[in-house]
Amino acid sequence: MSYQAPRGTRDILPPDSERWAEIEEQARRILGAYGYREVRTPIFESTDLFVRSVGESTDIVRKELYTFTDRGDRSLTLRPEGTAPLVRAYLEHAALRQENPARLAYLGPMFRYERPQAGRYRQFWQIGAELLGSKEPAADVEMIDLFVSIMRAVGLPDVTVLINSLGDAACRPVYRERLREYFTARLDRLCGDDAERVKTNPLRILDCKVPSCQPVIRDAPTVLDTLCDACREHLGAVERGLKSLALQVEIAPRLVRGLDYYTRTVFEVHASSLGAQNAVGGGGRYDQLVKDLGGPETPAIGFSIGTDRLFMATSEARGAASVPAPDAFVVARAPEAAEEALAAARSLRGVLDPREDRPLRVMADVQQRSASSQMKVASRLGAKIVVFVPKDDDGYGVRDMIEGKDEMKQPSLESLRSWLRDRRRAAEGAR
Ligand SMILES: [Zn+2]
Ligand SMILES: [Zn+2]
């Protein structure tokens, strides 16, 4: 019997896992710099939360939820997105509502039962941020700028922002009706799903990916003709704000995004390295969602970045990653010294030293191998230095594996550690 990762999922192995950690670390650094604080919500929530927020007419709710009943007969769903859980937490905990607006963030896996294809997984990761409590265009500008800063921090300077407005309660119904009229007259040229969408939510049709639907979609009326003055003004202010930050921004009048809760601003961010079709992520304003979920009137905006996409987009820029080599490998000269080798490795790393912010990478054998086998292992791992235990009267033996020569013996582990640190610093300076 052999097992494989479930269809549509995959294992992230080193060195990819190390690059993932680096991307998340950069994202956390930028989120912190903008004043956004992380909230870790559960992986699953009550199913109702997603049905009510994401929307019953969306593909996500109709076809893609991972829903199960637990032993207490509760209907639970693996989170397909991060905004609804964060809004739920925002309403549940007064501490999150102390600051107005609240600036919150999340990083973690999401789950959607989608058809697996290149770069699309059933468990995928997102980095997201939400700004709750402001209706002003400045909030939209800050959000989009934050998104772009994260992209730049991970090495994607070449970014285009597409923005659109979906209107509000005053003008969106007008647009919806206009679309319904237009698409109803052309149903014979649309796919079966669209026939359903005309009834439930004709805006969804703009998001249809079926190739034969595209000519009809391309000629559909744009929202820009039906926006009310307030929405038009808002969109204009967001565009001006982004341009004043020297961001490359385009109005994309048919951009809708796949969630029902968006109002006014929606946006997508594209990296040139992924090609025109591939957004790294996007987001939008959701001025009604907090209220819809039982809270007070709270205009808000958020985004999510597809970490998988971000990883793909940065891979090409970087080339192959190297395996991190140990700074040192401790060799036990005889089997009796095996325990001492572990203890020496531990103190050379410096992980228990509170002043050490970057421990050395030091390894030792745990297989009771002979000294010569240990040397081979050290060499295969690319260890720069081998340290021999136990020490003799002159101190610890040290061998430079790269130069292939013995170094001066070191009288103590303390002196050995500072010698290793100096070497690492010198090597980094030389690079
Ligand atoms: Zn279609
Ligand atoms: Zn409006």
Side-chain angles (χ1 to χ4, degrees):
M1 178 104 192
S2 75
Y3 295 101
Q4 290 177 333
R7 183 166 154 78
T9 71
R10 87 265 196 227
D11 303 306
I12 300 170
L13 309 179
D16 289 356
S17 55
E18 286 145 8
R19 286 235 353 263
W20 272 74
E22 206 180 298
I23 287 173
E24 289 177 341
E25 196 179 308
Q26 289 295 345
R28 285 200 168 93
R29 193 174 63 85
I30 303 298
L31 287 165
Y34 278 72
Y36 286 70
R37 300 177 73 191
E38 186 178 351
V39 178
R40 299 196 187 202
T41 64
I43 296 283
F44 54 82
E45 299 271 353
S46 99
T47 301
D48 189 47
L49 174 70
F50 297 116
V51 175
R52 288 193 41 195
S53 57
V54 175
E56 263 171 296
S57 75
T58 58
D59 280 357
I60 297 176
V61 167
R62 287 174 56 231
K63 304 177 193 165
E64 299 171 0
L65 294 184
Y66 275 96
T67 297
F68 61 99
T69 306
D70 76 359
R71 286 162 197 275
D73 254 346
R74 299 170 193 90
S75 179
L76 299 171
T77 293
L78 299 185
R79 61 185 185 192
E81 59 101 49
T83 299
L86 214 67
V87 169
R88 195 264 310 137
Y90 173 81
L91 290 174
E92 187 170 335
H93 306 284
L96 294 181
R97 300 192 300 273
Q98 270 168 5
E99 283 306 318
N100 193 45
R103 290 180 166 88
L104 306 173
Y106 61 87
L107 296 90
M110 308 291 159
F111 306 85
R112 290 183 199 172
Y113 191 83
E114 289 191 276
R115 212 161 55 80
Q117 46 180 295
R120 201 178 281 280
Y121 300 99
R122 289 178 174 173
Q123 174 170 338
F124 58 98
W125 274 260
Q126 287 188 340
I127 298 164
E130 314 288 346
L131 190 152
L132 297 118
S134 171
K135 62 176 174 34
E136 300 301 327
D140 309 38
V141 173
E142 176 179 293
M143 263 287 143
I144 294 169
D145 179 49
L146 166 58
F147 190 131
V148 172
S149 290
I150 292 173
M151 303 263 292
R152 287 183 174 154
V154 302
L156 296 170
D158 223 356
V159 166
T160 304
V161 181
L162 305 183
I163 59 171
N164 191 22
S165 175
L166 296 182
D168 58 4
C171 60
R172 191 178 186 167
V174 181
Y175 183 51
R176 194 181 296 138
E177 274 324 297
R178 188 177 281 203
L179 277 184
R180 182 167 286 146
E181 244 168 66
Y182 172 84
F183 286 126
T184 303
R186 291 161 183 80
L187 268 186
D188 52 330
R189 293 161 61 197
L190 294 169
C191 66
D193 279 349
D194 292 337
E196 188 59 33
R197 289 171 183 141
V198 161
K199 289 179 230 148
T200 53
N201 188 355
L203 267 82
R204 279 276 77 75
I205 299 176
L206 296 174
D207 231 8
C208 181
K209 299 287 184 278
V210 175
S212 58
C213 299
Q214 299 314 307
V216 180
I217 292 170
R218 210 158 28 233
D219 293 335
T222 85
V223 68
L224 300 178
D225 299 330
T226 39
L227 287 183
C228 68
D229 288 346
C231 288
R232 188 182 307 278
E233 177 59 32
H234 189 97
L235 180 64
V238 174
E239 186 186 14
R240 282 195 303 279
L242 293 173
K243 285 190 167 155
S244 79
L245 293 174
L247 299 184
Q248 198 181 326
V249 52
E250 287 168 23
I251 304 274
R254 290 187 184 82
L255 179 68
V256 287
R257 310 275 308 156
L259 305 157
D260 272 358
Y261 52 62
Y262 287 136
T263 51
R264 286 198 170 163
T265 311
V266 286
F267 64 96
E268 269 182 9
V269 180
H270 292 249
S272 61
S273 57
L274 277 181
Q277 292 303 310
N278 271 316
V280 172
R285 192 162 262 296
Y286 48 94
D287 292 343
Q288 301 302 319
L289 180 62
V290 180
K291 202 172 166 206
D292 286 350
L293 292 178
E297 185 96 31
T298 309
I301 180 164
F303 68 69
S304 65
I305 301 175
T307 319
D308 306 75
R309 301 283 179 89
L310 208 53
F311 179 85
M312 274 166 55
T314 55
S315 299
E316 282 151 39
R318 293 206 189 196
S322 58
V323 180
D327 297 297
F329 191 99
V330 182
V331 167
R333 291 182 194 277
E336 310 83 74
E339 277 177 26
E340 188 184 343
L342 287 185
R346 181 195 211 228
S347 79
L348 290 176
R349 288 176 195 122
V351 287
L352 299 183
D353 182 346
R355 293 160 304 169
E356 182 62 87
D357 57 347
R358 210 153 57 91
L360 289 161
R361 192 179 188 94
V362 182
M363 297 167 80
D365 180 47
V366 291
Q367 301 273 69
Q368 291 286 327
R369 281 185 267 228
S370 71
S372 66
S373 302
Q374 292 176 58
M375 292 292 287
K376 284 193 196 113
V377 172
S379 152
R380 202 170 60 235
L381 291 171
K384 295 164 190 130
I385 294 291
V386 160
V387 173
F388 296 94
V389 297
K391 66 174 177 178
D392 60 22
D393 294 344
D394 301 323
Y396 291 97
V398 179
R399 185 167 177 79
D400 184 327
M401 298 292 280
I402 293 161
E403 300 290 325
K405 65 176 174 55
D406 291 334
E407 295 281 346
M408 195 131 79
K409 291 190 177 178
Q410 291 288 334
S412 68
L413 290 174
E414 198 46 48
S415 69
L416 190 48
R417 184 151 87 89
S418 67
W419 181 79
L420 286 169
R421 290 175 62 187
D422 289 347
R423 279 183 58 96
R424 178 172 69 183
R425 203 172 303 125
E428 283 171 351
R431 232 184 283 138

